[in-house]
Amino acid sequence: MKTTIAKVGNYVEQEVKIGAWLANKRSSGKIAFLQLRDGTGFIQGVVVKAEVGEEVFQAAKNVTQESSLYVTGIVRADDRAPSGYELTVTKVEVLHEATDYPITPKEHGTEFLMDHRHLWLRSKRQHAVMKVRNEIIRATYEFFNDNDFVKVDPPILTGSAPEGTTELFATKYFDEDAYLSQSGQLYMEAAAMALGRVFSFGPTFRAEKSKTRRHLIEFWMIEPEMAFVEFEESLEIQEQYVSYIAKSVLENCQLELKTLGRDTEKLTKVQAPFPRISYDDAIEFLHEKGYDDIKWGDDFGAPHETAIAEHYDKPVFITHYPTSLKPFYMQPDPNRDDVVLCADLIAPEGYGEIIGGSERIHSQELLEQRIKEHNLSPDTYNWYLDLRKYGSVPHSGFGLGLERTVAWLSGVEHVRESIPFPRLLNRLYP
């Protein structure tokens, strides 16, 4: 019976055939231990010379790392194995023998591994990270579908920028200026005025070199926009969503989290409601902690966010940032015109901001004023102003950065481990 490693539990004490690669091996006298992977999981194959004969044993003993194989064997239940199963091998067929595989079991630096990202993905650790990433994506669709959101796909090439053009990759769309999208938000607002509650999920770009382990130039973002939803309700939806994906990862990625050495006790605390602290109080808190390098009106750096996050055991909202720090489209606080109705959600353990969101301006006059104050072209944003001209309503939205969320829930040190192919680093990845 041909099957996959993930499904061997259906064939205990039966003979199966698996197409796999050799992740690693070791031998002890007349027994060879093959660490096999097939994309669905990992399993150990045990080859006993006395049971398979000289030819099969030598094939198993001599096969090289990352060679491709067909392996036939009897599935055995084994509580000591991470997956709960082991394979007693009866036959080994080498399909292609790999030579001089560059990523050996020894320690390698991050830069070396990133230079070989196309191969590093095969490792048990990276397999686990990608499975966690996949679970977050699956749970994302499930959450928004269950809550009556409609998936809409905004363009990747855009003619306008939600947050200015200084961090955009510029290109030409025939004879017009165009940019790689830094956010689908403005288009999603238009979709929300048609469909009520919408979300997008796609690549976004920042034309700024990565400076820390938490930054990427290219990443994926989930961006919901919601008509008739004001600031407080938006925060509730955000914490429900993050709690949902954390719970899904805990329930469905136990083996992967164990492989990564993740402290799952910390993830069990990710349950709504989340604590909140205003920007004003956050500045005061930082001053009390000895951070005299920041004053009211400054944006938080990584050390500041980490200091705030360490005060809590779950994600924390920092709310009501100064108007001067935020994009033109954010709704002012009705009680204070120097701050806006926005919030950043900061993950625990030093992973930084995973969500940025706000209530959007719904007044045509105020939006026109903000566009002028930010020296943006009114002609470029005429269509965006139409959303306020024809049936405007209070509405809110947010964006969750997938890669930082994957890094946090996985517990990996570097956010680049959480994206399959980070093409844009300090150079183009082929």
Side-chain angles (χ1 to χ4, degrees), residues 166-298:
T166 57
E167 294 182 3
L168 287 178
F169 286 103
T171 185
K172 280 290 184 180
Y173 187 75
F174 299 101
D175 59 347
E176 297 181 36
D177 290 333
Y179 308 93
L180 289 179
S181 175
Q182 64 178 189
S183 168
Q185 178 203 315
L186 304 189
Y187 301 99
M188 298 309 293
E189 287 188 54
M193 297 305 112
L195 297 164
R197 293 189 176 194
V198 297
F199 76 103
S200 66
F201 173 48
T204 54
F205 305 86
R206 297 287 191 274
E208 180 182 32
K209 286 189 176 181
S210 302
K211 295 178 180 178
T212 75
R213 66 180 178 88
R214 303 192 320 188
H215 289 86
L216 288 172
I217 290 174
E218 174 191 357
F219 59 97
W220 287 69
M221 191 149 63
I222 294 97
E223 297 186 274
E225 289 290 330
M226 303 158 286
F228 304 102
V229 170
E230 298 181 36
F231 180 57
E232 287 297 327
E233 186 179 357
S234 176
L235 294 187
E236 292 172 5
I237 293 170
Q238 292 173 49
E239 61 193 5
Q240 290 166 8
Y241 167 49
V242 172
S243 299
Y244 189 87
I245 59 176
K247 181 181 178 183
S248 293
V249 168
L250 273 171
E251 290 179 349
N252 300 317
C253 296
Q254 281 292 317
L255 180 59
E256 288 77 17
L257 294 175
K258 184 177 180 180
T259 297
L260 293 165
R262 185 63 164 110
D263 182 353
T264 55
E265 181 63 28
K266 293 181 179 180
L267 298 186
T268 62
K269 298 176 182 178
V270 185
Q271 299 179 30
F274 295 161
R276 304 179 187 182
I277 182 172
S278 70
Y279 175 90
D280 291 350
D281 290 342
I283 291 290
E284 184 176 341
F285 170 84
L286 289 169
H287 288 167
E288 291 172 355
K289 293 294 182 179
Y291 289 88
D292 55 5
D293 61 334
I294 189 168
K295 63 182 183 299
W296 200 97
D298 293 340

Side-chain angles (χ1 to χ4, degrees), residues 20 72 88-89 93 121 133 147 165 287 308 315 331 360 395:
T72 303
T88 300
V89 176
E93 179 186 352
L121 279 174
R133 188 178 193 271
N147 286 278
T165 60
H287 288 167
I308 295 167
Q331 178 72 19
R360 317 309 193 187
H395 60 289

